[in-house]
Amino acid sequence: MAAPSLLTMALLLGVPLAWTLVWSFQHVTYGGSGTWAGVGNYADALGDPVFRSAATFTVLFSVVKTASLILVAFSLALLLNRVGRLRAWFLGFLMIPYVTPAVIAATAFAWLFDSNFGGVLNHVIEAVTGHEFLWFAQAWPNRVLLLLGVVWQEMPFALLILLAALQGVDESTLEAARVDGAGWWSQLRYIVIPWLAPMFRFVALISLMDGLRMFDMLVPLSPSSVTVGNSSMMQYVFNVSLRDGSHNLGLGSAVNILTMVLIAVLLVPMLWGQFKERKSA
Amino acid sequence: MTVDVLAYNATSIDPYVNSMVAGCSRAGVQLRHDPVDFAGQKQKTSTTLAARRGTYDLVETYSYAIPQYAAQHQLRPLDSLFAKYRERYRLDELDPKMLEGLRYDGKLYGLPMQANVQVFVYRKDVFRKLGLSAPKTFRDVRAAARQIRAKEHIKRPLALPLHSAADISTLYGNLMRSQGAAESVDPRTRKPTFDTSQSRRALGTLRSLAPYMDPQVTTFDQIKVQQQLFNGNAAMGLLYSGRAADLLDTRNTEFAKDFGFVTAPSLRTGGGPTADLSVDGWSIPWNTHVDPDLLFQLMAASVGRQASAHALPAAYPARRTAVDEARLPYARAVRNAIKRGASASEPYTWAAPIQARTSYVLASAVNGTLSVGAALRRCESEARAVLAGGQ
């Protein structure tokens, strides 16, 4: 019974993964058969300051983005959980960025800050602060813009998960806590958050994986990403493997393998936690 | 028989593709073309040319890409076919400079359809009001920018395409050629040219223009420069001629009737224009099984008189008899640029990899993160690494 799925997995995942691994030890360009390079590609990647900057930024951004995403989505889920008939309307409205293709959503978001295309939010922020922010050309303003854009785009998924989980919180436990004099904060801290812990871990897992694979959102939100130090590992792969004049598939493959290792290192503790939880349940 | 055609969609390219697909699909020959954007075309070209049996039988190429593909023997030389069909398709009417742009190592690898040349765009109404004449050098540009800022209150009067991923290298290269220097590597000595007085002047000029431009200019591609001119945020700029036609459309901007076009300024008096000739054309992949004779005739028909006339005013056609100045307000600027030395980028395989590794560094000098000297030293070392084969 499992044979068709195993075969599909082997063809769609196993074969490309095996080729990526082989190429990561070769000098390969389009159409070439590849020549043995040993660990040269790995050494080139790790010795390249552009890659190190991209890897550092990707990891730190993923962590900060995940924390922000959970905070915003959980806050909105708490608010929406108290809304009655209008909840579906609010949810529908909040889902817009999630159902829009990421690169289009990011372009629209970028225009809110780009005075060439109206830049409504940019004008408001400048009017309020009296300061001109270079949202696309300076590292920190661009990081803030990226964080806002990515959280805005990914938040609806996390919101849906957490809202669904909130509706499953045991009402009688909350009632008992209220009778015992527990306030809103105590109920949240000692009942709701522990109840939702597996969902927080799930959202964090997905968000970290998305963060480590970030590419398309960067194109409109950080057009000068390499120059300002806000480039991602996947963008590095694109630049070394697919850009004009840079068809180094071996180096790109090595970075992909390094990314997979990094994802594994970051996610194994979380997956282990999930596994232990299921086992004890 | 089906002939698969790969060409990106753009107002300047579509007339040629449409003419080929609609006009030549007959007598058992079916031409197939699916819409694709420029980035998609670049990736598809790389993969189809690298395969043993390609997906496409005709590909749209351009002068910058020809050396890479030709050096790897992925394109078919066209010289004998060109000679064979010269008269029947009046190929002598094609601009010789554009033909030159599609040559590599003395052989012709593409049949030109149209060209893009950087032209200087300026607001005639603003210049007239201030008694300014169109700038001939970048010193004139700075002087005009100062006056426009002071008297017309346009805070950032100049817009240049200086996107850190590619455009900045094009403009830097053009500033080098304006001084008669090689863009990145001297082909005779095979030594990088980033550590020279010309390179310091070229990058120094870009840096000196920064105060008159939007501080985020290193994120500006051609579209953003257009947008600055549309909005009136800038009163002058550099654009490829293929983008110039959009400025004349009253649906795009209230200043449509105010734009003037002149040849791109020189770095110094008497120098060449800061412009390159980017030629689009058709090529035949080596890995197609379709008869090259048939493919060449399809290409030749698509750059015929009718298709070239239809391409106006979006394109500056390779067929010289189709250039109609009444319909191409930027035609004189383009022609002068070509006459004064604007030519295709360096036809060498190192050009693209060096650009890929240095464009971000050049941008760091323009936005002030690195000094001009430090940026050029880093570019020099990146270029040496490419030449040494350490890509």
Side-chain angles (χ1 to χ4, degrees), chain B residues 149-166:
Chain B
R149 179 188 280 174
K151 294 179 180 162
E152 285 298 298
H153 305 295
I154 297 176
K155 202 172 160 191
R156 282 129 188 184
L158 178 66
L160 299 179
L162 291 178
H163 195 293
S164 61

mmCIF file of all heavy atoms in Angstrom, chain B residues 149-166:
data_model
loop_
_atom_site.group_PDB
_atom_site.id
_atom_site.type_symbol
_atom_site.label_atom_id
_atom_site.label_comp_id
_atom_site.label_asym_id
_atom_site.label_seq_id
_atom_site.Cartn_x
_atom_site.Cartn_y
_atom_site.Cartn_z
ATOM 1 N N ARG B 149 17.411 72.603 -8.571
ATOM 2 C CA ARG B 149 17.075 72.443 -7.141
ATOM 3 C C ARG B 149 16.809 73.807 -6.506
ATOM 4 O O ARG B 149 15.848 73.988 -5.775
ATOM 5 C CB ARG B 149 18.229 71.749 -6.432
ATOM 6 C CG ARG B 149 17.962 71.576 -4.947
ATOM 7 C CD ARG B 149 19.177 71.065 -4.250
ATOM 8 N NE ARG B 149 19.310 69.641 -4.421
ATOM 9 C CZ ARG B 149 20.360 68.943 -4.003
ATOM 10 N NH1 ARG B 149 21.374 69.557 -3.429
ATOM 11 N NH2 ARG B 149 20.418 67.651 -4.168
ATOM 12 N N ALA B 150 17.679 74.766 -6.831
ATOM 13 C CA ALA B 150 17.562 76.079 -6.192
ATOM 14 C C ALA B 150 16.348 76.851 -6.689
ATOM 15 O O ALA B 150 15.644 77.479 -5.901
ATOM 16 C CB ALA B 150 18.845 76.875 -6.446
ATOM 17 N N LYS B 151 16.089 76.792 -7.985
ATOM 18 C CA LYS B 151 15.063 77.683 -8.543
ATOM 19 C C LYS B 151 13.724 77.002 -8.803
ATOM 20 O O LYS B 151 12.685 77.650 -8.820
ATOM 21 C CB LYS B 151 15.591 78.318 -9.832
ATOM 22 C CG LYS B 151 16.770 79.240 -9.542
ATOM 23 C CD LYS B 151 17.331 79.854 -10.790
ATOM 24 C CE LYS B 151 18.513 80.753 -10.430
ATOM 25 N NZ LYS B 151 19.350 81.036 -11.586
ATOM 26 N N GLU B 152 13.755 75.708 -9.031
ATOM 27 C CA GLU B 152 12.492 75.006 -9.320
ATOM 28 C C GLU B 152 12.024 74.166 -8.134
ATOM 29 O O GLU B 152 10.958 73.559 -8.168
ATOM 30 C CB GLU B 152 12.672 74.097 -10.542
ATOM 31 C CG GLU B 152 12.714 74.839 -11.856
ATOM 32 C CD GLU B 152 11.429 75.586 -12.147
ATOM 33 O OE1 GLU B 152 10.389 74.922 -12.270
ATOM 34 O OE2 GLU B 152 11.466 76.828 -12.223
ATOM 35 N N HIS B 153 12.858 74.126 -7.095
ATOM 36 C CA HIS B 153 12.534 73.386 -5.861
ATOM 37 C C HIS B 153 12.235 71.913 -6.121
ATOM 38 O O HIS B 153 11.388 71.322 -5.472
ATOM 39 C CB HIS B 153 11.378 74.063 -5.125
ATOM 40 C CG HIS B 153 11.662 75.505 -4.849
ATOM 41 N ND1 HIS B 153 12.666 75.916 -4.002
ATOM 42 C CD2 HIS B 153 11.104 76.634 -5.365
ATOM 43 C CE1 HIS B 153 12.711 77.237 -3.989
ATOM 44 N NE2 HIS B 153 11.783 77.695 -4.807
ATOM 45 N N ILE B 154 12.901 71.372 -7.128
ATOM 46 C CA ILE B 154 12.842 69.907 -7.285
ATOM 47 C C ILE B 154 14.042 69.384 -6.492
ATOM 48 O O ILE B 154 15.196 69.614 -6.868
ATOM 49 C CB ILE B 154 12.905 69.484 -8.773
ATOM 50 C CG1 ILE B 154 11.680 70.040 -9.521
ATOM 51 C CG2 ILE B 154 12.952 67.960 -8.906
ATOM 52 C CD1 ILE B 154 11.660 69.767 -11.015
ATOM 53 N N LYS B 155 13.738 68.732 -5.367
ATOM 54 C CA LYS B 155 14.776 68.409 -4.383
ATOM 55 C C LYS B 155 15.852 67.485 -4.958
ATOM 56 O O LYS B 155 17.034 67.639 -4.689
ATOM 57 C CB LYS B 155 14.092 67.724 -3.194
ATOM 58 C CG LYS B 155 14.832 67.781 -1.904
ATOM 59 C CD LYS B 155 13.925 67.229 -0.795
ATOM 60 C CE LYS B 155 14.714 66.809 0.415
ATOM 61 N NZ LYS B 155 13.878 66.054 1.357
ATOM 62 N N ARG B 156 15.413 66.485 -5.750
ATOM 63 C CA ARG B 156 16.360 65.521 -6.325
ATOM 64 C C ARG B 156 16.148 65.477 -7.825
ATOM 65 O O ARG B 156 15.417 64.630 -8.330
ATOM 66 C CB ARG B 156 16.149 64.140 -5.712
ATOM 67 C CG ARG B 156 16.748 64.031 -4.330
ATOM 68 C CD ARG B 156 15.793 63.495 -3.327
ATOM 69 N NE ARG B 156 16.346 63.577 -1.982
ATOM 70 C CZ ARG B 156 15.732 63.096 -0.925
ATOM 71 N NH1 ARG B 156 14.554 62.501 -1.049
ATOM 72 N NH2 ARG B 156 16.267 63.220 0.267
ATOM 73 N N PRO B 157 16.772 66.408 -8.533
ATOM 74 C CA PRO B 157 16.399 66.599 -9.942
ATOM 75 C C PRO B 157 16.904 65.528 -10.909
ATOM 76 O O PRO B 157 16.471 65.484 -12.055
ATOM 77 C CB PRO B 157 17.017 67.952 -10.300
ATOM 78 C CG PRO B 157 17.990 68.261 -9.233
ATOM 79 C CD PRO B 157 17.728 67.401 -8.050
ATOM 80 N N LEU B 158 17.819 64.670 -10.443
ATOM 81 C CA LEU B 158 18.424 63.701 -11.358
ATOM 82 C C LEU B 158 18.027 62.270 -10.971
ATOM 83 O O LEU B 158 17.997 61.932 -9.787
ATOM 84 C CB LEU B 158 19.955 63.839 -11.289
ATOM 85 C CG LEU B 158 20.788 62.874 -12.133
ATOM 86 C CD1 LEU B 158 20.575 63.112 -13.631
ATOM 87 C CD2 LEU B 158 22.283 63.019 -11.808
ATOM 88 N N ALA B 159 17.714 61.456 -11.985
ATOM 89 C CA ALA B 159 17.403 60.039 -11.728
ATOM 90 C C ALA B 159 18.233 59.178 -12.669
ATOM 91 O O ALA B 159 18.187 59.360 -13.887
ATOM 92 C CB ALA B 159 15.920 59.768 -11.944
ATOM 93 N N LEU B 160 19.018 58.272 -12.092
ATOM 94 C CA LEU B 160 19.831 57.364 -12.907
ATOM 95 C C LEU B 160 19.519 55.923 -12.521
ATOM 96 O O LEU B 160 19.262 55.637 -11.348
ATOM 97 C CB LEU B 160 21.330 57.619 -12.672
ATOM 98 C CG LEU B 160 21.877 58.993 -13.016
ATOM 99 C CD1 LEU B 160 23.368 59.047 -12.679
ATOM 100 C CD2 LEU B 160 21.679 59.313 -14.487
ATOM 101 N N PRO B 161 19.557 55.004 -13.485
ATOM 102 C CA PRO B 161 19.358 53.595 -13.124
ATOM 103 C C PRO B 161 20.644 53.040 -12.504
ATOM 104 O O PRO B 161 21.596 52.736 -13.214
ATOM 105 C CB PRO B 161 19.050 52.928 -14.471
ATOM 106 C CG PRO B 161 19.666 53.823 -15.496
ATOM 107 C CD PRO B 161 19.775 55.198 -14.917
ATOM 108 N N LEU B 162 20.654 52.942 -11.172
ATOM 109 C CA LEU B 162 21.870 52.500 -10.474
ATOM 110 C C LEU B 162 21.578 51.314 -9.562
ATOM 111 O O LEU B 162 22.194 51.161 -8.499
ATOM 112 C CB LEU B 162 22.454 53.656 -9.651
ATOM 113 C CG LEU B 162 23.057 54.815 -10.441
ATOM 114 C CD1 LEU B 162 23.550 55.910 -9.502
ATOM 115 C CD2 LEU B 162 24.210 54.355 -11.321
ATOM 116 N N HIS B 163 20.637 50.490 -9.955
ATOM 117 C CA HIS B 163 20.279 49.332 -9.133
ATOM 118 C C HIS B 163 21.523 48.493 -8.858
ATOM 119 O O HIS B 163 22.294 48.177 -9.773
ATOM 120 C CB HIS B 163 19.224 48.488 -9.850
ATOM 121 C CG HIS B 163 18.550 47.506 -8.951
ATOM 122 N ND1 HIS B 163 19.206 46.437 -8.386
ATOM 123 C CD2 HIS B 163 17.268 47.435 -8.510
ATOM 124 C CE1 HIS B 163 18.357 45.754 -7.640
ATOM 125 N NE2 HIS B 163 17.173 46.342 -7.696
ATOM 126 N N SER B 164 21.691 48.124 -7.596
ATOM 127 C CA SER B 164 22.939 47.475 -7.188
ATOM 128 C C SER B 164 23.121 46.080 -7.781
ATOM 129 O O SER B 164 24.213 45.529 -7.726
ATOM 130 C CB SER B 164 23.008 47.389 -5.666
ATOM 131 O OG SER B 164 21.929 46.609 -5.188
ATOM 132 N N ALA B 165 22.063 45.492 -8.336
ATOM 133 C CA ALA B 165 22.207 44.129 -8.866
ATOM 134 C C ALA B 165 22.749 44.110 -10.290
ATOM 135 O O ALA B 165 23.268 43.090 -10.720
ATOM 136 C CB ALA B 165 20.879 43.396 -8.811
ATOM 137 N N ALA B 166 22.629 45.200 -11.045
ATOM 138 C CA ALA B 166 23.123 45.153 -12.424
ATOM 139 C C ALA B 166 23.309 46.540 -13.044
ATOM 140 O O ALA B 166 24.377 46.850 -13.573
ATOM 141 C CB ALA B 166 22.172 44.345 -13.302
#
